[in-house]
Amino acid sequence: MDVSRGVIERLVENDVDTVFGVPGTQTLPLNEAIETRDDIRFVMARHETAVSHQAWGYAETSGRLAATAVVPGPGDMNAMNGLKNAFNDCTPILHLAVETEPEIRGGDGIHETPPDTYDTVVKDNVLVEHPESTAVVLEEAIATAETPPKGPVRVGIPKNFLTMDVSLATPATYSCESVAGVADADITAAAEVLAAAEQPVIVAGGGVRAAGASDELRRIADRLGAPVVTTYKGKGVLPDGPDGYVAGTLAGSAAPELLACLADADAALAVGTDFDAVATRAWSVDVPDSLIHVTLEPDDLGTGYEPTVGIVADAAVALSALESALDDRTVAAGDDAVERASEVRQATSDRVADLRLSSPPLPSVSALEAVREAIPQETIVTVDAGGFRVWGLNVFEAAGPRSYVNPGSWATMGTGLPSGIGAQFANPDDDVVVLTGDGGLMMCVHELHTAVAEDVPLTVVVFVNEDYAIISDDADRNYGLEAGEYGWPGEPIDFVALAESLGLRAARAATPAEIQSRLAAAIDADDPVVLAVPTDPSEPQASDWMGDYSNN
């Protein structure tokens, strides 16, 4: 069989229906093979950095494997940013990289980079050494990508292999299960600690979402009477908002009341989190001495915090086993989990009360809350990195485990728009809203044209403060530079005109009322729309404001 057709057949056999990429002469055999089928499509981005972010958004919102295809060298290295983001977030992507031909490898052929260049940004990096083994290597790579903890896998295929007509070896069937079950002794020990706690708390990370364990988490929170603190990647595993178990998100901008909820608990169940340095402020956040830590990565145990009981297991498996163990025990805590969570949320809300303004330019709090009020709860929201996102971790209510997408510890800017495009392809019948800052959008602004060319009916809300405000604020306060040092108010970008020049409909909304009315109209449209919202470049940064007790 022609190798390129064998590659695409392998993708389709694994339920991959979309390949994100930027075509090049090296990838054309793959593109040709895609065009011969009606069960898989190629989405053409405008830059390879966006390619891996699009795949990330597709996988994050669907839970399914995403695929990418790029040319060697510059294309591959441009995609590294998104691959590293997916690697940190344990997001499954099959990254097809067309490689330099073996006979000229090492001779500085066009776009040549050593294959091991990519080892540290993916879960695995494999090279097809013989054309006959292509299908087998791909199947192994797909199994690796989808085996929890999931992640991106790069497969290098030499350019000249793609056009060869050879007998492809038939792949075996690979299991995608990682850790099977959970040790009874560990569950018993964990149940004893948690049952004895009078004020327990739960820390929930992205592993809960990856395992599809939101229902199990909710039942455990109810059984223990424990409020839930989410991580960046855990935000949304249970819905935020009134009458829920979620107290807030653990981040550099978390309110002192949220940190106290965690520190003052007499036991904590941390599940599906690696306790990374970003969420824990380099492990300076206090957690209870009695700590149950559930993770799929053995190396996570003891990183930053010493667990009382460490459990290496899938979140759903561990939570189900723990639920059974607790059924046989009397739980000391009361049934006030929702009340405790509500008190923390109210304290957070009180802290931002002075930032709820209706006159432009709006603080991020006002703009974000207006967006949340305007869009249906089931809307999929993809969020870029930036100052507005840090505020959003505190005030923007996530509605479900696959409906809120934001980068984790990699925290790269320029993800919002491409991940929204990927999310829309994964969920064609759902509304998708992108939240981005003007700084982040300008790092991927070319993908507005992709949205037009590919008929992607998403809505892009760009918060325009004409400044890298977090950086300018730090430069002013700590380095003696001028306020607004890294802003561009003298060279403003007209995002309405820019969007319209690329073929999108666009509007400006300067007040909460305008945001709500114009955003509702944009969501109802069947084509991509940009909504530009001016925000205050001199607003306080979330990490400063939320930690300042004088704002009580």
Side-chain angles (χ1 to χ4, degrees), residues 47 49-50 53 81 382-389 407 411-421 434-448 460-471 486 488 493 495 498 530 535:
H47 197 278
T49 301
H53 293 327
N81 183 18
T382 67
V383 186
D384 212 324
F388 80 92
R389 178 188 70 143
T412 182
M413 294 177 69
T415 62
L417 173 56
S419 65
I421 291 172
V434 173
L435 303 183
T436 184
D438 49 355
L441 181 58
M442 289 305 293
M443 295 183 185
C444 60
V445 69
H446 36 76
E447 298 311 303
L448 288 175
V460 180
V461 180
V462 52
F463 301 112
V464 183
N465 64 7
E466 299 173 348
D467 200 336
Y468 290 125
I470 289 180
I471 310 305
Y486 299 108
W488 51 92
I493 300 169
F495 282 97
L498 175 59
V530 168
T535 55

Side-chain angles (χ1 to χ4, degrees), residues 19-194:
V19 177
F20 300 94
V22 174
T25 56
Q26 297 92 338
T27 67
L28 286 178
L30 293 173
N31 292 95
E32 180 185 36
I34 291 172
E35 289 301 315
T36 65
R37 309 183 64 119
D38 59 8
D39 50 6
I40 189 168
R41 62 197 164 197
F42 182 79
V43 176
M44 185 177 69
R46 300 298 179 269
H47 197 278
E48 292 91 351
T49 301
V51 166
S52 42
H53 293 327
Q54 288 171 354
W56 172 74
Y58 180 104
E60 285 270 297
T61 58
S62 68
R64 304 195 304 273
L65 178 71
T68 54
V70 299
V71 300
D76 219 357
M77 296 190 80
N78 283 332
M80 287 178 75
N81 183 18
L83 292 177
K84 174 61 173 172
N85 184 46
F87 182 48
N88 281 27
D89 289 355
C90 299
T91 305
I93 295 174
L94 181 70
H95 179 65
L96 301 177
V98 181
E99 282 280 357
T100 304
E101 300 93 319
E103 57 270 20
I104 64 172
R105 192 176 296 149
D108 286 337
I110 186 170
H111 297 338
E112 182 182 359
T113 53
D116 61 4
T117 300
Y118 310 95
D119 284 353
T120 59
V121 300
V122 290
K123 184 179 179 183
D124 198 11
N125 180 23
V126 296
L127 183 64
V128 177
E129 299 284 1
H130 305 283
E132 294 83 358
S133 66
T134 302
V136 173
V137 173
L138 278 172
E139 195 68 27
E140 290 178 344
I142 290 169
T144 299
E146 295 202 288
T147 297
K150 300 178 181 182
V153 175
R154 177 184 181 274
V155 179
I157 307 175
K159 172 187 174 182
N160 58 325
F161 286 8
L162 291 175
T163 55
M164 292 182 181
D165 188 1
V166 299
S167 177
L168 295 176
T170 302
T173 300
Y174 295 90
S175 170
C176 292
E177 294 183 2
S178 54
V179 179
V182 59
D184 290 341
D186 289 342
I187 291 297
T188 297
E192 289 175 354
V193 170
L194 294 171

Side-chain angles (χ1 to χ4, degrees), residues 421-461:
I421 291 172
Q424 191 72 83
F425 275 103
N427 305 272
D429 297 326
D430 295 328
D431 294 323
V432 175
V433 170
V434 173
L435 303 183
T436 184
D438 49 355
L441 181 58
M442 289 305 293
M443 295 183 185
C444 60
V445 69
H446 36 76
E447 298 311 303
L448 288 175
H449 191 254
T450 300
V452 173
E454 298 286 349
D455 295 320
V456 184
L458 50 68
T459 301
V460 180
V461 180

Side-chain angles (χ1 to χ4, degrees), residues 500-528:
E500 289 175 343
S501 76
L502 293 170
L504 292 88
R505 293 199 294 115
R508 186 175 180 272
T511 67
E514 290 177 350
I515 290 171
Q516 291 176 27
S517 63
R518 292 171 189 173
L519 184 52
I523 291 174
D524 286 341
D526 292 328
D527 51 358

